[in-house]
Each structure stands twice: as structure tokens, then as C-alpha cells.
Amino acid sequence: MRLSELQTRQVQEHTGADLIPDDNPTIPALRRSFGDHTFFIDNDGLHIWESVDEDTSDGAKLIGVRIASWSDEEKPSLVAHEPAPSHVLAPRETDS
């Protein structure tokens, strides 16, 4: 799922994860492997976000899904694995 600017900002504020920008050279390979998503990276690994329901609007409840983890504590590379839930984000109603 591609996130809106508001959803991206909410994820970053909630998790502290860094957005991997669309112009990053790794994005084409990530999209070939995992689909068309907004990708985030943090100390735990590589994450995407999915809507809990069919609602994908800015007010949708989102769940983070870790799709790759660091290979070791030095974080030299990521290792893909079965998707694992990582975070739940219920947007604040006052966001605009």
C-alpha cells in the first residue's frame, strides 16, 4: 500500500522509522520483491504498512508489517522473511 503524505508523517511520528524516498536507488528492487508500497526502515528492519480494513483513506487504521530484518547487530544487510506485524497506528482524528 502506498501511503499518503499525512499517513507517512503519522508513521514517522509514531515509530521514528525513516522513510525510504521514492528516488532511492533501492526502491525498484524493493518494489519488484515486495510490491508497490511506501517503505520505512528502522532499528528492527524494513517495514511496509497496510490498512486494517478496506478503507485506505487518511483516517484508516494501519498495521506495520516487518518484511526484512537486519542480518546481525552491526546492521550490514537486511534479510527478507515472512511478514510479521510490527506496529498498529490508529490516526488521531484531529490530524489534517
Side-chain angles (χ1 to χ4, degrees), residues 1-91:
M1 171 178 164
R2 301 274 306 161
L3 300 183
S4 70
E5 286 184 38
L6 175 60
Q7 289 169 322
T8 298
R9 192 170 57 249
Q10 290 171 334
V11 167
Q12 290 176 298
E13 290 172 0
H14 178 74
T15 66
D18 293 320
L19 170 69
I20 301 177
D22 285 341
D23 62 354
N24 185 292
T26 63
I27 289 294
L30 291 174
R31 290 200 174 127
R32 278 192 303 275
S33 295
F34 303 109
D36 190 19
H37 294 280
T38 304
F39 294 94
F40 295 85
I41 197 159
D42 67 9
N43 287 331
D44 294 326
L46 181 66
H47 305 263
I48 59 171
W49 288 78
E50 295 290 346
S51 177
V52 174
D53 320 299
E54 291 183 26
D55 177 14
T56 60
S57 70
D58 284 343
K61 186 174 183 179
L62 302 173
I63 186 164
V65 180
R66 188 172 48 247
I67 54 177
S69 296
W70 294 107
S71 59
D72 65 37
E73 290 182 19
E74 299 295 318
K75 299 179 176 70
S77 61
L78 290 162
V79 177
H81 54 69
E82 289 296 315
S86 61
H87 301 279
V88 175
L89 176 62

Side-chain angles (χ1 to χ4, degrees), residues 6 9-10 90-96:
L6 175 60
R9 192 170 57 249
Q10 290 171 334
R92 298 178 299 273
E93 292 188 23
T94 57
D95 283 341
S96 58

